[in-house]
Amino acid sequence: GVAIKIPVKVGEEEKIFGSVTSQSISDALGELGYEVSRKQIDLAGPIKTLGTHDVSVKLHHDVIAVIKVEVVEEGQ
């Protein structure tokens, strides 16, 4: 039931500069007090669009949690 919001810079046509990586998600979780390494985050590829994305996090060998990652424009 964890949800995080990651603000990004956005250009024309809501195209984001760069992308959201497993390291970005790990850092955001760390700010909330969750210690999760980027290697525990199962991301097929970097997130390059605004919106809400479901991301799997391997907490233990047999335990996988799904978190909501909301990618929003900076300043919102």
Side-chain angles (χ1 to χ4, degrees):
V2 175
I4 59 173
K5 191 178 283 192
I6 299 180
V8 294
K9 292 186 184 214
V10 177
E12 293 179 24
E13 298 177 16
E14 293 190 344
K15 193 164 194 154
I16 71 172
F17 293 109
S19 58
V20 176
T21 63
S22 56
Q23 185 62 55
S24 308
I25 296 168
S26 174
D27 293 344
L29 287 169
E31 290 175 12
L32 294 176
Y34 299 101
E35 289 188 37
V36 177
S37 84
R38 65 179 180 82
K39 293 179 181 180
Q40 291 175 278
I41 298 169
D42 188 18
L43 199 57
I47 298 171
K48 297 182 178 187
T49 58
L50 294 175
T52 304
H53 306 270
D54 290 332
V55 176
S56 298
V57 179
K58 297 174 191 168
L59 300 176
H60 233 289
H61 185 57
D62 293 328
V63 180
I64 297 175
V66 176
I67 62 170
K68 300 268 186 207
V69 176
E70 186 178 0
V71 181
V72 297
E73 184 175 352
E74 273 186 350
Q76 289 190 343

